[in-house]
Amino acid sequence: MVPSFLSLSFSSLGLWASGLILVLGFLKLIHLLLRRQTLAKAMDKFPGPPTHWLFGHALEIQETGSLDKVVSWAHQFPYAHPLWFGQFIGFLNIYEPDYAKAVYSRGDPKAPDVYDFFLQWIGRGLLVLEGPKWLQHRKLLTPGFHYDVLKPYVAVFTESTRIMLDKWEEKAREGKSFDIFCDVGHMALNTLMKCTFGRGDTGLGHSRDSSYYLAVSDLTLLMQQRLVSFQYHNDFIYWLTPHGRRFLRACQVAHDHTDQVIRERKAALQDEKVRKKIQNRRHLDFLDILLGARRPSFDNHHYEFFLLPTSNTSSCPIMPSLTQDEDDIKLSDADLRAEVDTFMFEGHDTTTSGISWFLYCMALYPEHQHRCREEVREILGDQDFFQWDDLGKMTYLTMCIKESFRLYPPVPQVYRQLSKPVTFVDGRSLPAGSLISMHIYALHRNSAVWPDPEVFDSLRFSTENASKRHPFAFMPFSAGPRNCIGQQFAMSEMKVVTAMCLLRFEFSLDPSRLPIKMPQLVLRSKNGFHLHLKPLGPGSGK
C-alpha cells in the first residue's frame, strides 16, 4: 500500500512536470515565431518562389531534380531569393558573383542551424570555429598544406589508386557496367587514413583501423540523412531514435580510435629512436604536423619551419609550425581530435564525389577523355609513376577537372550567418544575424556568368578565359578567407587519381543507368555511377 500523501505527491509532481513542459514548449514556440518574423522582415525586399504553409521550400528541395529547380528560380529571381527550410529557418539563397563577393570576401561564421549537426562528431575544428580561435587554428594549420609537405603524398595517392584500379581490372573482365562510387570512396578514405595517421585499412590489417573506416563511412551517411529529415533536427528527439543512437555509437568508435592514436603517437615521440624514424619517413602525416604545431597568442608571432631533432635530415620533409616567445601553448587533445576528425570528414566524401562525377564526364564526353589520356601519357613517358612536378604539367586534365567541378560541384551549397550587416551591389541589404545560402550549383550554371552553362567546355578554364572572369564566379572550394584550406591537397589527389584511371581504362556510359543528381552535404548520385570500363593493356598504366 502506498501512503495517500505519497500518491498526492507523485500526482502533484506529474502535474508540475507537465506544466513545465508546456511552458517550455510555449516559450520555444514564441522564440521560433519571433525568429521567423525577424528573418522574414530581413528578406522582405527579395521576392521568391511560393512556399508551402508548413514545409516552406523543403519538399521541393528534397525532390529529384531539385538542383535544376533552383537554377530555374535563379533565372526567375536574379541575384537572390528567400529559401525556407520549414517555417522557422529561412536563408537568402544567393547565386550571383557580386552577391557572393559581398558575403564571402568577409569572414562571417558558418550558419549554426546547419553546421551544429556536425559538432557531435567533428567537434569545434576549423570547419565550425569562428572569431579569434578560428583565425588561430587557420594560421597554425596553413603551413601543413604547404607544397613541400604535399609533395611526398603523391606516392600515397599512387599506392591507394593502384589498389582500386586492380579491383576494377577484375570487375571489368565481366564485361558489365558497375558502380564505381563505393570503390572510389574506399580509396579516398584509405588515402586519408594514410595521410592522417600514417596507415590505411589495407596496410596493417588492424581490426581497430577497419572499425574506424566503417564508423567514418557510417557517420557520413547518417549525417546526410539527418540533414534532410526534419524530425531529426531536434537533438533531444534525435538521440532517442535508433538512428541517433547508431550515430552516437559510430561517434564513440571514431573518437576512441583518434584518441588512442594521438596517445600512442605522443608517447612514441618521447623516444628519440622513434623521432628519428618519423623524420626519415617518406612523408609526414597530418597527425605529425598537428603534434609538431604550437598555438601562439596573437602578439608578435611568425611562421617558421623546423625539423625534429635528428642527425640525418637529408630525407626529411619540413614540418610547419608557428613560433612565438616562451609561452607557446600546444594544441589540447580536444583540439587535436577536432582537427583530425574535421580533416577526415571534409576530405573523404568531397573527393569521392569529385572523382566520380569527373569520370562520368569523361565517359559522357569521349573526345575530352581521349585528349586528357594523351596528355598524361606524354607526361608520364618512360616513368613508372607520376612525380610532384608532373602535376603542374597536366594543363588540359586540370581544365577538365575544373569544368567537372563547375557542372557538378562536390559541395553544392554552403551556409553562413552574417556577423554584421551587408549591402549588396544593387543597394538591397541584410542585417546582422541573417542566414545566407550560397548555392554553388546555381552560381556555376548562371547563364549571366557562364555562356551555354549546360555545355561541357574545358576551355572556359584556359588562362586567358579564366583571367577575364569574376573571381567569385567559380567557387568549388568556397572563396575568401574561409575557403577550403585543403584545396591544394584535393587538387593534387584528383590529378593523380584521375590520370591513373585514364591510363588504365577507357570509360563509357551505361545508357540504362545514368546518374541521378542527389544534393546532400555533397553532390551524390541517387543510383550510383555505373560505367563500362575497358582495360587498355599493361603498357597504358605502367
Side-chain angles (χ1 to χ4, degrees):
M1 293 289 292
V2 179
S4 59
F5 73 91
L6 285 179
S7 298
L8 289 173
S9 297
F10 288 141
S11 177
S12 299
L13 185 62
L15 287 173
W16 274 103
S18 300
L20 180 62
I21 291 171
L22 285 173
V23 169
L24 291 175
F26 179 73
L27 291 175
K28 179 67 175 177
L29 179 61
I30 293 297
H31 169 76
L32 290 173
L33 289 171
L34 289 174
R35 186 169 189 250
R36 173 185 166 73
Q37 186 178 26
T38 301
L39 292 172
K41 184 178 179 182
M43 294 188 289
D44 62 1
K45 295 179 181 178
F46 297 89
T51 62
H52 185 275
W53 69 271
L54 178 60
F55 298 108
H57 300 108
L59 295 179
E60 291 170 286
I61 290 171
Q62 292 183 48
E63 292 175 353
T64 300
S66 63
L67 287 170
D68 296 312
K69 181 74 171 178
V70 175
V71 172
S72 71
W73 288 341
H75 291 149
Q76 188 177 354
F77 307 101
Y79 298 105
H81 67 76
L83 187 65
W84 288 93
F85 297 164
Q87 282 298 307
F88 301 115
I89 302 177
F91 294 83
L92 183 67
N93 194 40
I94 64 176
Y95 31 75
E96 194 276 336
D98 283 316
Y99 264 53
K101 181 180 179 181
V103 176
Y104 283 79
S105 61
R106 314 187 323 179
D108 297 273
K110 300 294 176 73
D113 298 85
V114 175
Y115 294 96
D116 277 1
F117 294 145
F118 302 4
L119 295 180
Q120 188 68 30
W121 174 19
I122 66 173
R124 296 196 175 275
L126 200 60
L127 177 66
V128 295
L129 282 174
E130 57 184 278
K133 191 171 182 180
W134 169 81
L135 183 60
Q136 199 175 58
H137 280 227
R138 178 82 182 201
K139 287 184 175 181
L140 186 151
L141 293 175
T142 295
F145 296 93
H146 188 274
Y147 292 117
D148 288 309
V149 176
L150 296 179
K151 284 179 182 179
Y153 287 163
V154 171
V156 179
F157 302 152
T158 300
E159 180 185 5
S160 295
T161 306
R162 277 181 173 166
I163 294 170
M164 178 183 74
L165 297 181
D166 288 344
K167 290 180 184 176
W168 285 0
E169 195 88 39
E170 296 178 11
K171 293 182 179 181
R173 290 195 192 106
E174 299 178 11
K176 301 177 182 178
S177 69
F178 60 90
D179 184 6
I180 65 169
F181 186 80
C182 289
D183 290 331
V184 173
H186 191 283
M187 178 276 300
L189 189 51
N190 191 35
T191 297
L192 273 183
M193 288 183 71
K194 292 172 183 174
C195 294
T196 305
F197 302 120
R199 62 186 185 229
D201 72 303
T202 58
L204 302 177
H206 289 283
S207 61
R208 188 181 70 190
D209 292 345
S210 180
S211 297
Y212 180 76
Y213 168 80
L214 294 173
V216 170
S217 299
D218 215 17
L219 285 167
T220 305
L221 176 62
L222 290 169
M223 235 169 20
Q224 300 264 18
Q225 292 173 346
R226 185 182 183 189
L227 195 62
V228 298
S229 304
F230 291 98
Q231 70 271 24
Y232 290 156
H233 283 194
N234 180 274
D235 282 344
F236 179 76
I237 294 173
Y238 183 61
W239 304 135
L240 294 177
T241 66
H243 194 283
R245 291 195 295 272
R246 180 180 163 196
F247 184 89
L248 290 175
R249 286 194 299 271
C251 274
Q252 192 62 51
V253 171
H255 291 163
D256 287 347
H257 177 277
T258 304
D259 290 343
Q260 186 166 348
V261 173
I262 289 172
R263 284 195 302 269
E264 290 173 355
R265 188 69 60 85
K266 278 186 170 181
L269 287 172
Q270 302 303 312
D271 187 311
E272 185 177 351
K273 290 182 179 179
V274 174
R275 288 203 305 270
K276 288 182 179 180
K277 185 178 179 181
I278 290 175
Q279 280 303 106
N280 290 314
R281 282 204 315 234
R282 287 181 303 168
H283 70 276
L284 293 171
D285 59 50
F286 190 60
L287 189 53
D288 291 328
I289 292 166
L290 287 176
L291 288 172
R294 290 171 289 183
R295 185 179 65 200
S297 66
F298 287 99
D299 298 324
N300 304 319
H301 67 270
H302 62 278
Y303 289 107
E304 77 172 15
F305 292 91
F306 72 95
L307 297 171
L308 291 170
T310 177
S311 57
N312 177 19
T313 61
S314 60
S315 62
C316 175
I318 55 179
M319 186 182 236
S321 180
L322 286 163
T323 63
Q324 186 216 347
D325 295 326
E326 296 178 358
D327 56 341
D328 290 327
I329 305 171
K330 290 181 182 272
L331 283 175
S332 69
D333 285 349
D335 286 337
L336 284 169
R337 186 174 80 181
E339 296 303 350
V340 167
D341 289 341
T342 297
F343 184 58
M344 293 297 296
F345 165 66
E346 290 198 271
H348 167 223
D349 249 20
T350 51
T351 303
T352 304
S353 172
I355 293 170
S356 299
W357 284 109
F358 172 83
L359 293 177
Y360 163 71
C361 287
M362 292 297 94
L364 186 59
Y365 304 107
E367 66 278 15
H368 294 287
Q369 179 182 171
H370 174 75
R371 187 167 172 182
C372 286
R373 183 178 295 111
E374 290 304 306
E375 179 184 68
V376 296
R377 274 179 177 164
E378 184 177 344
I379 291 168
L380 186 62
D382 295 329
Q383 300 177 112
D384 290 327
F385 48 83
F386 292 108
Q387 306 288 339
W388 171 262
D389 291 341
D390 294 329
L391 306 189
K393 302 172 186 176
M394 298 177 180
T395 307
Y396 196 77
L397 178 68
T398 301
M399 290 194 295
C400 287
I401 289 173
K402 289 182 177 180
E403 179 67 346
S404 73
F405 278 167
R406 183 188 70 82
L407 286 167
Y408 305 101
V411 181
Q413 202 169 0
V414 290
Y415 309 90
R416 295 284 174 88
Q417 183 171 40
L418 298 182
S419 57
K420 56 185 179 181
V422 64
T423 299
F424 295 108
V425 65
D426 58 1
R428 292 183 289 185
S429 62
L430 283 178
S434 300
L435 300 175
I436 297 289
S437 158
M438 177 68 241
H439 208 287
I440 297 172
Y441 183 92
L443 170 70
H444 287 181
R445 294 178 185 243
N446 187 335
S447 57
V449 181
W450 305 92
D452 300 318
E454 301 299 325
V455 174
F456 187 98
D457 180 5
S458 59
L459 293 180
R460 299 179 199 271
F461 293 95
S462 68
T463 303
E464 181 183 358
N465 289 332
S467 65
K468 300 174 183 176
R469 198 161 41 242
H470 195 294
F472 285 80
F474 181 61
M475 294 176 57
F477 297 103
S478 191
R482 291 197 68 132
N483 66 350
C484 175
I485 193 173
Q487 59 184 288
Q488 292 299 334
F489 178 96
M491 281 300 295
S492 301
E493 183 178 7
M494 282 282 296
K495 290 180 185 181
V496 172
V497 174
T498 56
M500 291 180 66
C501 288
L502 292 174
L503 287 172
R504 284 277 291 270
F505 299 99
E506 180 181 293
F507 295 84
S508 57
L509 297 177
D510 180 345
S512 66
R513 307 179 83 173
L514 298 177
I516 300 170
K517 288 171 288 191
M518 182 174 67
Q520 294 182 342
L521 293 175
V522 300
L523 184 57
R524 293 169 171 257
S525 168
K526 188 175 183 180
N527 58 336
F529 294 83
H530 290 83
L531 301 177
H532 289 282
L533 275 64
K534 176 185 176 183
L536 294 175
S540 300
K542 297 286 180 181

